[in-house]
């Protein structure tokens, strides 16, 4: 029953929901039109033993140590160090203010010794160069960090062709879904408030006329029965029906003529 009630409310105010959905889609499209595009690209590096180590037992020990999370995680932190940033800016011949709109993060991929370097920014070409220069600087500056292991570039960052944000084919449907949810909640609220206003109005009218509205807003009871917790008392009972051929009452004093008396009276009237 509740589902039918809600569906009835939605059907009654469908035009409100449609307006909200259209407005949400239009807002998403407008935001995508004015928002500057942001591109994303990434590079990958791998942690490995240094090539100069030839002893097999030493290599086996190093490979066993590479399974520890602290090695790859420590190398990942070098990508955002001050020295790596300074070397990157020097390689690109730019100032720190020119890269403020670009972000870069390095994280170890789960269950691997591979580090993913992810960057984002407004210029796709400069972004790819910025990420690759950072990788080069991090690899060079960390060679003596553990002495027996180092990072090696695995995949260079490519120039992205499509922006990662905004994406109208994703943002507009998302806006429509959000508008649908807001529209449904809005019409339910409108119907609830409308019912409250009608109830208050009826109670005010009933109070002005000296009557009281019971729990059911469509039922008006006299003020004498304003207590809704008790059933209404019977005002009076209709007199019992008296048979047509009833004779006089128990005292002998008849007050209703019998059938024979009515027939006689009717005969005299016709005579």
């Amino acid at each position: 029953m509740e589902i039918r009630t809600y569906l009835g409310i939605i059907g009654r105010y469908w035009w409100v929901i449609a307006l909200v959905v259209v407005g949400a889609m239009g807002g998403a499209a407008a935001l995508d039109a004015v928002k500057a595009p942001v591109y994303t690209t990434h590079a990958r590096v791998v942690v490995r033993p240094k090539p100069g180590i030839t002893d097999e037992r030493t290599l086996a020990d190093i490979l066993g140590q590479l399974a520890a999370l602290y090695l790859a995680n420590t190398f990942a932190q070098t990508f955002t160090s001050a020295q790596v940033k300074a070397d990157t800016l020097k390689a690109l011949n730019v100032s720190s203010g020119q890269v403020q709109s670009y972000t870069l993060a390095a994280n170890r991929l789960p269950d691997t010794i591979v580090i993913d370097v992810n960057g984002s920014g407004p210029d796709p070409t400069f972004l790819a160069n910025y990420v690759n220069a950072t990788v080069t600087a991090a690899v060079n500056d960390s060679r003596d960090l553990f002495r027996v292991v180092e990072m090696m570039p695995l995949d260079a960052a490519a120039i992205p062709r499509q922006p990662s944000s905004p994406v109208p084919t994703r943002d507009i449907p998302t806006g429509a879904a959000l508008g649908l949810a807001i529209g449904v909640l809005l019409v339910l609220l409108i119907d609830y408030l409308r019912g409250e206003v009608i109830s208050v109005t009826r109670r005010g009218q009933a109070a002005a006329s000296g009557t009281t509205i019971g729990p059911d807003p469509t039922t008006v009871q006299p003020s004498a029965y304003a207590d809704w917790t008790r059933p209404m008392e019977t005002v009076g009972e209709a007199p019992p029906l008296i048979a047509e051929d009833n004779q006089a009452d128990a005292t002998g004093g008849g007050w209703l003529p019998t059938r024979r008396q009515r027939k006689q009276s009717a005969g005299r009237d016709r005579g």
Side-chain angles (χ1 to χ4, degrees):
M1 181 61 70
E2 293 293 335
I3 295 179
R4 292 184 179 180
T5 302
Y6 293 147
L7 291 178
I9 295 172
I10 293 172
R12 187 160 60 250
Y13 295 103
W14 65 268
W15 56 274
V16 176
I17 299 176
L19 288 177
V20 175
V21 171
V22 172
M25 294 176 64
L31 288 176
D32 286 352
V34 300
K35 187 177 180 181
V38 176
Y39 296 85
T40 301
T41 189
H42 67 93
R44 290 180 178 180
V45 298
V46 63
V47 181
R48 66 170 186 176
K50 282 191 174 183
I53 301 175
T54 58
D55 183 67
E56 295 183 356
R57 182 172 297 180
T58 303
L59 286 174
D61 292 339
I62 293 174
L63 291 175
Q65 292 296 324
L66 288 178
L69 300 180
Y70 72 90
L71 283 174
N73 288 335
T74 302
F75 276 118
Q77 295 302 314
T78 62
F79 287 88
T80 55
S81 64
Q83 183 61 44
V84 170
K85 287 182 178 180
D87 292 344
T88 301
L89 296 178
K90 183 178 180 180
L92 295 175
N93 195 23
V94 295
S95 64
S96 58
Q98 293 176 275
V99 297
Q100 285 184 352
S101 57
Y102 294 83
T103 61
L104 190 143
N107 296 284
R108 182 188 61 84
L109 296 179
D111 300 325
T112 68
I113 53 175
V114 176
I115 299 173
D116 183 80
V117 184
N118 192 293
S120 61
D123 187 341
T125 302
F126 181 81
L127 174 64
N129 295 332
Y130 178 59
V131 172
N132 290 328
T134 302
V135 169
T136 301
V139 169
N140 293 333
D141 291 343
S142 62
R143 292 189 185 277
D144 296 331
L145 185 61
F146 291 103
R147 295 190 179 184
V148 292
V149 292
E150 65 179 6
M151 291 189 296
M152 181 187 72
L154 194 61
D155 294 319
I159 299 175
R161 301 301 179 186
Q162 298 293 333
S164 58
S165 176
V167 182
T169 56
R170 177 197 62 197
D171 298 338
I172 294 178
T174 302
L178 183 61
L180 179 62
I182 295 175
V184 171
L185 293 177
L186 180 62
V187 299
L188 293 178
L189 178 62
I190 291 174
D191 187 80
Y192 172 77
L193 295 178
R194 179 174 177 272
E196 289 295 320
V197 170
I198 292 175
S199 177
V200 171
T201 303
R202 287 180 176 175
R203 293 180 186 276
Q205 293 174 351
S209 60
T211 58
T212 305
I213 299 180
D216 185 0
T218 61
T219 304
V220 179
Q221 300 176 350
S223 57
Y225 302 101
D227 188 1
W228 305 334
T229 61
R230 297 181 299 176
M232 294 180 61
E233 299 177 359
T234 304
V235 177
E237 296 182 356
L241 297 177
I242 302 176
E244 189 177 23
D245 55 351
N246 188 24
Q247 301 298 326
D249 55 13
T251 61
W255 60 273
L256 183 65
T258 63
R259 182 182 301 175
R260 182 179 300 172
Q261 291 173 343
R262 289 197 296 273
K263 288 183 179 180
Q264 292 175 357
S265 176
R268 286 195 297 269
D269 291 340
R270 286 195 297 272

